[in-house]
């Protein structure tokens, strides 16, 4: 057991705080999929971030560039949790590294959960929590938190399913 559900988000927020000095108009910090940004990439243009496709065949490559969709953000944190990069394989089945504390078993309800929130630490914690809660309860939790949105990806490579919180579309650019 470790604090990975919030550690990278916390570090990303602290790194972003460190570059908020006079004269710096904008910055984006990304540590392993946890992202925080302020300002815009270019004047009038928000930062564009690719949400990894959890069903891509090249997910074992840490430099994989296969986005499921693109989002645009400014002054927000973004975090994704899922079972497509960190997992164990047992008898031909992938098992998530995220453990459901209620059962002690891997949380295999959602291959990918992306959260957009004002702070990366909150997005990081929520992405893990929603991975455990599943679609219905996870979306209900996200909807109860102001200024927070979610993209949940379920299904299979052959038939992916996407679920959004009510305000997610304002961040979504398109599907790849």
């Amino acid at each position: 057991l470790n604090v990975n559900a919030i550690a990278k988000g916390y570090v990303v927020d602290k790194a972003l705080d460190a570059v908020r000095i006079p004269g710096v108009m904008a910055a984006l910090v990304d540590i392993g999929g946890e992202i925080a940004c302020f300002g815009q990439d270019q004047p009038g243009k928000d930062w564009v971030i690719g949400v990894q496709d959890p069903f891509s065949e090249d997910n074992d490559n840490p430099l994989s560039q296969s986005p499921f969709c693109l989002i645009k953000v400014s002054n927000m944190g973004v975090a994704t949790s899922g079972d497509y990069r960190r997992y164990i394989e047992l008898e031909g089945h992938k098992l998530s590294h995220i453990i459901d504390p209620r059962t002690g078993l891997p949380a295999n309800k959602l291959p990918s959960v992306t959260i957009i929130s004002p702070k990366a630490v909150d997005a990081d914690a929520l992405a893990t929590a929603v991975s455990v809660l599943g679609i219905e309860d996870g979306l209900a939790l996200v909807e109860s938190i102001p200024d927070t949105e979610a993209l949940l990806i379920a299904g299979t490579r052959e038939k992916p399913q996407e679920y959004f919180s009510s305000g997610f579309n304002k961040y979504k650019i398109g599907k790849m």
Side-chain angles (χ1 to χ4, degrees), residues 121-143:
V121 67
D122 297 333
D124 200 2
L126 279 168
T128 302
V130 172
S131 293
V132 170
L133 291 172
I135 297 165
E136 189 173 308
D137 291 340
L139 284 175
L141 174 60
V142 170
E143 295 290 355

Side-chain angles (χ1 to χ4, degrees), residues 67-143:
F68 185 83
C69 73
L70 299 175
I71 58 174
K72 59 181 177 170
V73 294
S74 179
N75 303 311
M76 297 299 273
V78 179
T80 299
S81 290
D83 65 4
Y84 55 93
R85 292 263 177 153
R86 294 185 52 203
Y87 59 88
I88 61 167
E89 202 162 324
L90 184 64
E91 297 178 2
H93 298 288
K94 276 187 181 181
L95 300 175
S96 177
H97 70 288
I98 300 169
I99 303 300
D100 183 336
R102 300 168 296 189
T103 64
L105 298 172
N108 287 328
K109 295 177 181 177
L110 292 162
S112 177
V113 174
T114 298
I115 302 290
I116 302 171
S117 188
K119 291 289 195 183
V121 67
D122 297 333
D124 200 2
L126 279 168
T128 302
V130 172
S131 293
V132 170
L133 291 172
I135 297 165
E136 189 173 308
D137 291 340
L139 284 175
L141 174 60
V142 170
E143 295 290 355

Side-chain angles (χ1 to χ4, degrees), residues 10-176:
Y10 176 80
V11 170
V12 166
D13 284 337
K14 290 299 182 187
L16 191 68
D17 288 345
V19 298
R20 284 183 192 256
I21 59 174
V24 176
M25 304 291 289
L28 181 140
V29 176
D30 177 356
I31 300 178
E34 274 63 40
I35 297 167
C37 63
F38 73 88
Q40 295 180 310
D41 184 25
Q42 299 173 23
K45 186 176 177 189
D46 289 344
W47 299 97
V48 175
I49 298 167
V51 175
Q52 184 73 38
D53 182 349
F55 304 119
S56 174
E57 292 188 22
D58 67 345
N59 278 332
D60 289 331
N61 174 358
L63 302 176
S64 171
Q65 298 292 310
S66 301
F68 185 83
C69 73
L70 299 175
I71 58 174
K72 59 181 177 170
V73 294
S74 179
N75 303 311
M76 297 299 273
V78 179
T80 299
S81 290
D83 65 4
Y84 55 93
R85 292 263 177 153
R86 294 185 52 203
Y87 59 88
I88 61 167
E89 202 162 324
L90 184 64
E91 297 178 2
H93 298 288
K94 276 187 181 181
L95 300 175
S96 177
H97 70 288
I98 300 169
I99 303 300
D100 183 336
R102 300 168 296 189
T103 64
L105 298 172
N108 287 328
K109 295 177 181 177
L110 292 162
S112 177
V113 174
T114 298
I115 302 290
I116 302 171
S117 188
K119 291 289 195 183
V121 67
D122 297 333
D124 200 2
L126 279 168
T128 302
V130 172
S131 293
V132 170
L133 291 172
I135 297 165
E136 189 173 308
D137 291 340
L139 284 175
L141 174 60
V142 170
E143 295 290 355
S144 74
I145 302 170
D147 303 319
T148 300
E149 302 300 338
L151 162 62
L152 285 54
I153 303 172
T156 63
R157 176 177 284 135
E158 296 75 28
K159 191 173 181 180
Q161 301 167 338
E162 51 191 48
Y163 301 88
F164 304 98
S165 59
S166 61
F168 188 84
N169 280 339
K170 71 181 173 187
Y171 298 103
K172 187 176 177 187
I173 294 174
K175 186 173 171 122
M176 299 309 287

